[in-house]
Amino acid sequence: MQTVNILEAKTQLSRLVQRVESGAETEIIIARNGRPAARLVPLAAQPVAQRIGVAAGRFQVPESIDLNNALVEQLFAGAPSP
């Protein structure tokens, strides 16, 4: 665990973030007047969730699903202009 003062953190922020991201440091303590004030730690990786096909096989799309497309379009867009 590395400790840096605020001035060093301001001038070396990119390097400090890179060290935390790469795993070279698990956390970096930023101190003000020699006393710890903040921690710089990597964010936990966000799990990538599968979205496409999550409901596959759970319901059937009826053959008549597209029968009223013109009516739906008219309801959303309004009456066609002459």
Side-chain angles (χ1 to χ4, degrees), residues 45-75:
Q46 297 293 324
V48 178
Q50 180 184 1
R51 298 269 307 147
I52 306 283
V54 294
R58 294 189 181 176
F59 64 92
Q60 286 186 321
V61 178
E63 292 293 326
S64 62
I65 192 165
D66 292 324
L67 288 180
N68 295 318
N69 281 354
L71 175 60
V72 172
E73 181 181 2
Q74 181 183 2
L75 290 171

Side-chain angles (χ1 to χ4, degrees), residues 1-2 14-28 40-44:
M1 175 174 54
Q2 180 182 4
S14 294
R15 182 183 63 81
L16 296 173
V17 169
Q18 189 276 328
R19 291 187 56 77
V20 170
E21 280 181 327
S22 70
E25 295 283 344
T26 56
E27 73 178 28
I28 297 174
L40 181 61
V41 296
L43 290 175

